Structure formats: structure tokens, C-alpha cells
Amino acid sequence: MKIKHSKFKNTGILFELLVRQITADTLKGTDSPAIDILKEYFVKTQLGREYKLYESVLKSKVISEGQANSLISTLLENSKKFNRSSLKRNKYQLIQEIKKHYNLESFFGSKIKNYKEIASVYNLIESYNAKEITDLDQINNNKITLLEFLTKSEVSKPAKDEVINEFSGYDKDLRTLTYRILLEKFNDKYDNLSIEQKEILKEFIHSVDSTPSLRNFYNEKVSILKNTLSEIANNIKDKATKIKITEVAKLLTELNKTDKVDNDNLVDLLQYYELVKEIKVANGVQI
């Protein structure tokens, strides 16, 4: 399912247009009904609180990709706290109120600064709260739009596109889990997925209903990583680097038989394999 963007339902756009209308009315020297409308629907209301989610993006300073990812994830998690039916009803009532005082075609005809980013926030919120599976490419593109806006730099897509294409044919439940790990947890800075990282993602999808199997896989990878880091440390002459790698390896611990494997465990594996790649490159070790 693809989310269809709607100006009439986008809280960010509704707020921005009301502010713009207040300015236009003031310049004309006329009383502005938009002032009372804004107060009624956005001051200490659900719509006002939802607008804060848009504002967190629009008023953000330039931040790193990691911070941007965290902001987007927090925004989406907070969007789940709203009553979607109530919000829908409030937006309908708001449109009816605007209609009493303004021509809707003219009101919504104004150009909006950062329209693309505001639309992306709306699409991601709707996708995150939808009961049906939504279009992966659309989610991916919306998130990249926001990451580039927040970081003021271009975000590379090869790793995400590669895995998304590989798993886009899976059924709804499995794809849902794939989306979660790809779009919410896995760090977007990676340019290429290694063979080991691809294997981790595949195993996560295939073993999602088999906790013992997934736990065994996780523990096996932890053991391999510890040995790999130990071998790398032995081949590095710099003592400080050797100590740091040894300490990092100690952080890797296997799960107990009663432990469940969650998203964070699997993301840890992905990031440790990325670390191994970076250490090898930095120290001239052949990959």
C-alpha cells in the first residue's frame, strides 16, 4: 500500500497555512479569523501536540546522521501515542471551520516552505501507524529526505536499496520485521553490506519464529567475532590499538538459554562486523 499525501490531513501544513493566513490578513489590515482558529485547534490540543513532531524536524539544527536517525525514530514512536481516530475527526472539524471563513482552493493554494520535508513527516507517520504494510520504496525515500534535511548532506542509499530489493518479495509479516531492522535500527551510514551482514539479515528473517535457532546463530557469530578480533589484535603492532580491540572483544557475550534475541542483538552483530571492516582497513589488514 502506498500512502497518499493530503494537504487537508497534514497537521504541519495546516498549521503553516494558518500562520501564513494570519500574516496575509494582517497585511491587508483586516481582522484574521485564522487567529482564533489557530488558538482553538492548536493550543493545548492533540493537533498542537502532533504539530510538535513536525516542528522537531523543521526547527532542528544541523545534526549528524546518527542523531537524525534517533530523532526520526523518537518522532515515530511518539506518533503512536495519539488517538488516530480523534486526530482525524479534529482535522475534519478544522477544515470545516477554515471553510466558513476562507476559500479552500485559495487557502491551500499557497506555496509552503519545506513542503517536501513536511510531506515526508506525514507519510512516515501514516506508514508507521498503518494497519497494512506500506510501500517500502516510499518509506525509504521519505526517510532519506528527512535525513538529508537534518544533516544538510546527501545520504547514500546502496546498502538499503540492495537489501530492500533482495527481501521485497517476502510475505507481509516477514517484510514488517525487515522494515524495522532496516529502517529504524540499522545505521544508515553504511555504504556496503558485507557477506556476513547480509547473512545476519537473512537469518533474522528466516528464523524469526524460531528463538532457539536464532539464539544459536547469534552465539555462533559472537564466538566468530571474538576470534576475529583476537586475530586482528595479534597482527597489530600498535599497543594502544591492540588494547582497545581486546577490550571491545570482551563486550561480546553469548546469550543464555532463556534469553530472547531482539532487534538490538542483531543490530549489534551488524555493527560489530562493520567495526571489523573499519579496523582492518585502518590497519592495513587484508579483508
Side-chain angles (χ1 to χ4, degrees), residues 73-90:
S73 295
T74 302
L75 179 158
L76 293 174
E77 283 297 328
N78 282 330
S79 74
K80 295 184 72 174
K81 299 176 182 178
F82 294 100
N83 184 313
R84 308 312 299 178
S85 298
S86 178
L87 276 176
K88 185 178 180 180
R89 183 170 58 254
N90 293 157

Side-chain angles (χ1 to χ4, degrees), residues 228-260:
T228 300
L229 288 169
S230 177
E231 290 175 7
I232 291 174
N234 290 334
N235 291 320
I236 290 177
K237 295 180 180 179
D238 183 75
K239 290 184 178 179
T241 302
K242 187 190 293 281
I243 292 172
K244 288 178 181 178
I245 294 173
T246 302
E247 289 302 312
V248 167
K250 290 179 181 178
L251 297 174
L252 280 162
T253 56
E254 296 183 5
L255 297 174
N256 297 321
K257 291 183 179 181
T258 56
D259 292 335
K260 290 185 178 180

Side-chain angles (χ1 to χ4, degrees), residues 45-266:
T45 64
Q46 269 210 110
L47 280 176
R49 288 190 287 273
E50 189 184 46
Y51 174 69
K52 291 294 183 182
L53 301 183
Y54 290 82
E55 191 177 50
S56 66
V57 171
L58 298 175
K59 294 191 176 181
S60 174
K61 296 179 180 179
V62 180
I63 54 181
S64 68
E65 276 193 39
Q67 291 171 321
N69 269 302
S70 178
L71 190 155
I72 294 170
S73 295
T74 302
L75 179 158
L76 293 174
E77 283 297 328
N78 282 330
S79 74
K80 295 184 72 174
K81 299 176 182 178
F82 294 100
N83 184 313
R84 308 312 299 178
S85 298
S86 178
L87 276 176
K88 185 178 180 180
R89 183 170 58 254
N90 293 157
K91 291 175 188 179
Y92 174 80
Q93 293 168 342
L94 171 57
I95 296 299
Q96 295 308 305
E97 190 63 32
I98 293 172
K99 191 176 180 180
K100 291 178 184 178
H101 304 280
Y102 301 102
N103 176 281
L104 288 184
E105 185 175 350
S106 298
F107 184 86
F108 283 97
S110 301
K111 289 187 177 180
I112 297 290
K113 183 182 179 182
N114 299 131
Y115 177 88
K116 186 178 179 181
E117 288 74 27
I118 297 175
S120 292
V121 173
Y122 171 86
N123 287 341
L124 281 176
I125 288 175
E126 292 300 308
S127 297
Y128 197 74
N129 289 277
K131 293 180 180 179
E132 299 179 44
I133 294 297
T134 54
D135 186 82
L136 231 179
D137 287 333
Q138 183 184 31
I139 294 174
N140 195 31
N141 291 333
N142 288 151
K143 189 174 181 184
I144 289 172
T145 294
L146 296 186
L147 286 173
E148 291 181 341
F149 175 76
L150 291 166
T151 61
K152 298 298 183 289
S153 60
E154 186 176 352
V155 176
S156 59
K157 306 198 305 177
K160 289 172 288 186
D161 287 344
E162 183 178 1
V163 179
I164 285 169
N165 289 333
E166 187 171 352
F167 297 120
S168 61
Y170 280 85
D171 67 33
K172 185 175 72 173
D173 291 335
L174 295 183
R175 287 172 63 194
T176 299
L177 293 167
T178 309
Y179 301 163
R180 285 172 62 189
I181 194 168
L182 286 176
L183 302 180
E184 295 173 26
K185 296 288 184 178
F186 190 37
N187 196 322
D188 291 275
K189 73 179 180 180
Y190 300 156
D191 292 325
N192 285 300
L193 289 177
S194 67
I195 293 174
E196 291 86 0
Q197 288 168 327
K198 285 184 182 180
E199 183 185 1
I200 290 166
L201 288 171
K202 288 179 181 178
E203 185 66 27
F204 177 63
I205 291 172
H206 288 305
S207 302
V208 68
D209 293 322
S210 178
T211 301
S213 173
L214 195 56
R215 184 171 53 243
N216 291 337
F217 173 83
Y218 176 85
N219 287 340
E220 179 185 338
K221 289 302 176 185
V222 165
S223 177
I224 292 172
L225 278 166
K226 289 175 75 74
N227 290 334
T228 300
L229 288 169
S230 177
E231 290 175 7
I232 291 174
N234 290 334
N235 291 320
I236 290 177
K237 295 180 180 179
D238 183 75
K239 290 184 178 179
T241 302
K242 187 190 293 281
I243 292 172
K244 288 178 181 178
I245 294 173
T246 302
E247 289 302 312
V248 167
K250 290 179 181 178
L251 297 174
L252 280 162
T253 56
E254 296 183 5
L255 297 174
N256 297 321
K257 291 183 179 181
T258 56
D259 292 335
K260 290 185 178 180
V261 183
D262 59 23
N263 289 351
D264 290 335
N265 294 130
L266 293 163

